[in-house]
Amino acid sequence: MNIALWTTLFTYILIYLAFIYNPKLSPLHCYFGVYMPDAFQHSNEGKIIFKRFFVQSTLLLVLSLVVSLPLIFTRYFTTGLFSLIMLVQLILYFVFYILAHQKVRAVKETLPKADGALAKMVIDTDFIALKVHLRKRYLYLYIVPLAITLLTALYLFGNYSTLPAQIPTHWNYLGQADSWSDKSLFSVG
């Protein structure tokens, strides 16, 4: 039960933080996927949109915990139920993000636009440099898990001869092996 509780708490909070701090990973002046002037973040509309997104996400976290914790303590919480709750969470977080995106776009539509006949094309080199920097940041975010996975695979295949004849292939929510397989390169992989 302790493993189920800590795994659930860790996963729910990690997903919550990933969505709440998503704007920190976005480029400057980009709010919920929309490029906006600097003043938007401190405007009333911006504060309302950010607050609503934060409140909705926090309520979803609390609701997920209220649903999951009694099931964990009564031992009715299965891996399938955990996966279903996580899937619903991710869908709802995505919906909240899309709603915030649409509201920011609506605010952007109300901003004055430059006259089309006199408008000039301006290349924002700072934005391009920031975009390149952001691509590198996301590249590192993908390289680290890939490197960990490759190192783990190298370690496993390097110690293949010391593995037992029967290896576990699945664990239940309590951390107990509930499915076994004969040792082969495929099952180890």
Side-chain angles (χ1 to χ4, degrees), residues 6-174:
W6 291 115
T7 304
T8 302
L9 287 174
F10 176 75
T11 306
Y12 288 177
I13 290 171
L14 186 65
I15 292 171
Y16 169 76
L17 292 175
F19 273 88
I20 289 299
Y21 287 108
N22 186 296
K24 299 291 183 192
L25 292 173
S26 298
L28 294 176
H29 314 296
C30 191
Y31 306 101
F32 296 104
V34 180
Y35 188 75
M36 294 288 284
D38 223 7
F40 172 74
Q41 184 176 6
H42 303 293
S43 69
N44 285 337
E45 297 98 351
K47 288 179 182 178
I48 289 170
I49 293 170
F50 282 110
K51 184 176 181 181
R52 182 173 290 142
F53 178 73
F54 178 76
V55 168
Q56 289 171 334
S57 299
T58 305
L59 286 175
L60 180 59
L61 172 68
V62 170
L63 179 65
S64 300
L65 289 172
V66 165
V67 168
S68 299
L69 290 178
L71 294 171
I72 289 172
F73 289 120
T74 58
R75 297 188 186 266
Y76 289 112
F77 200 63
T78 63
T79 306
L81 189 57
F82 176 66
S83 300
L84 178 67
I85 291 173
M86 276 186 18
L87 179 64
V88 169
Q89 261 187 332
L90 290 171
I91 290 170
L92 288 174
Y93 281 130
F94 183 70
V95 167
F96 298 156
Y97 187 87
I98 293 298
L99 291 173
H101 170 80
Q102 290 172 346
K103 289 175 185 165
V104 172
R105 283 188 66 184
V107 170
K108 186 174 184 172
E109 293 296 321
T110 64
L111 296 176
K113 296 180 174 92
D115 185 13
L118 300 175
K120 295 181 183 179
M121 183 178 201
V122 177
I123 298 175
D124 187 355
T125 56
D126 291 336
F127 180 72
I128 293 172
L130 183 63
K131 185 176 168 184
V132 169
H133 173 71
L134 202 63
R135 281 187 181 160
K136 287 181 183 177
R137 182 187 301 176
Y138 277 105
L139 180 67
Y140 294 138
L141 287 175
Y142 288 117
I143 286 177
V144 169
L146 182 63
I148 291 171
T149 303
L150 289 175
L151 289 173
T152 304
L154 288 174
Y155 177 77
L156 272 174
F157 288 114
N159 293 317
Y160 181 79
S161 62
T162 62
L163 293 175
Q166 290 277 318
I167 57 172
T169 55
H170 189 267
W171 291 263
N172 65 14
Y173 206 76
L174 299 173

